[in-house]
Amino acid sequence: MRHRSVADLMTPTAVSVQRGTPFKEIARLLKEFDISAVPVVDEAERPVGVVSEADLLRKRSSGSGTNTAADLMTSPAITARTEWSVVRAARVMRGRQVKRLPVVDAAGRLIGILSRSDLLQLFLRRDHAIQEEILEDVVTHTLGLSPSSLTVDVTDGLVTLSGTVSRRSLVPIMLRLCQSVDGVVDVVNRLDYAQDDVSVGARTPTER
C-alpha cells in the first residue's frame, strides 16, 4: 500500500522572491498569481522563509518600517522533500502550524509548494480507485484474505465493509488499514467473523 508522495500533489513553483524584494512587489505577485504566500529564497534558490498575506497585513496594521521580504518573512522556512508521503507532510504542517511547505530537491533548492488545498486532492480520488486499492493491497496482499468473501463499497470516499473474516482479531486491523488508504473519508464496519479469538473480557481497539 503506497501513500501518495509530495511530488504527486505539489504545485511546481515559478514564483519566489529574494530577501530584498519590496513590500509592493510581493503584494503584486500575490495578486497576479492568485496565491496567498510566496517563498523567500537566497542566491542559491534555497528557501529561507515565507511571506504570506497575513505578514503583509501585519506590517500595514503595525505601521512599522519593514519593507522587504527579509523584514516581513516568517523564518526559517519549514520545507518538505519530494519523496515524503503526504501523510508525513500533513503531520509536519499540523505540528508546525503552517498552511504550506516549500518543497526542495536534494540540494535544498526550491522546486515546488505543497499547500493544504493540495492535500485535499486526496479526497477527490475516484471511488473505484479506492475500492481497487483496498481489495488488492489491503485485503489480498497485506492480509492474505480472499476478496470473494468480502464486499467493499465506496461512495464519495465512505467505505462500507461487509462479509465474513476468519477471526475477530482481523476486524480492527482491517478497519485501521482501510482508514489509512488515501482518499478514504470514513469506514463503516459491517464485518462478521467465523471465530472469536479475542479473550473473554478483552476489548478490541475499535471497542475501546
Side-chain angles (χ1 to χ4, degrees), residues 114-174:
L114 183 75
S115 68
R116 290 192 299 192
S117 61
D118 293 323
L119 294 179
L120 290 176
Q121 293 181 38
L122 289 179
F123 298 100
L124 300 178
R125 286 187 75 194
R126 294 168 55 188
D127 291 337
H128 182 64
I130 296 172
Q131 181 188 48
E132 281 189 342
E133 182 169 343
I134 290 175
L135 287 171
E136 294 178 9
D137 292 351
V138 174
V139 175
T140 304
H141 296 153
T142 302
L143 297 178
L145 303 176
S146 171
S148 62
S149 62
L150 301 171
T151 299
V152 178
D153 291 316
V154 185
T155 303
D156 294 331
L158 176 64
V159 177
T160 301
L161 302 174
S162 56
T164 302
V165 296
S166 58
R167 305 187 310 277
R168 180 182 177 183
S169 59
L170 286 174
V171 174
I173 296 172
M174 187 168 182

Side-chain angles (χ1 to χ4, degrees), residues 67-140:
N67 288 310
T68 67
D71 301 318
L72 296 162
M73 69 183 182
T74 300
S75 181
I78 311 302
T79 62
R81 296 286 295 271
T82 54
E83 67 270 19
W84 282 14
S85 72
V86 291
V87 173
R88 179 177 179 180
R91 287 174 178 166
V92 170
M93 284 186 190
R94 182 177 61 186
R96 302 302 292 268
Q97 296 184 332
V98 295
K99 298 179 180 179
R100 62 196 64 79
L101 296 171
V103 182
V104 298
D105 61 16
R109 293 184 297 262
L110 179 70
I111 56 173
I113 292 288
L114 183 75
S115 68
R116 290 192 299 192
S117 61
D118 293 323
L119 294 179
L120 290 176
Q121 293 181 38
L122 289 179
F123 298 100
L124 300 178
R125 286 187 75 194
R126 294 168 55 188
D127 291 337
H128 182 64
I130 296 172
Q131 181 188 48
E132 281 189 342
E133 182 169 343
I134 290 175
L135 287 171
E136 294 178 9
D137 292 351
V138 174
V139 175
T140 304

Side-chain angles (χ1 to χ4, degrees), residues 168-183:
R168 180 182 177 183
S169 59
L170 286 174
V171 174
I173 296 172
M174 187 168 182
L175 294 179
R176 189 162 56 247
L177 289 172
C178 289
Q179 287 166 346
S180 71
V181 171
D182 290 339

Side-chain angles (χ1 to χ4, degrees), residues 11 16-17 19 23 59 61 63 66 69 74 102 118 120 158 194 197 205:
T11 301
S16 62
V17 298
R19 288 187 178 97
F23 180 103
K59 190 273 176 185
S61 62
T66 54
T74 300
D118 293 323
L120 290 176
L158 176 64
D197 61 340

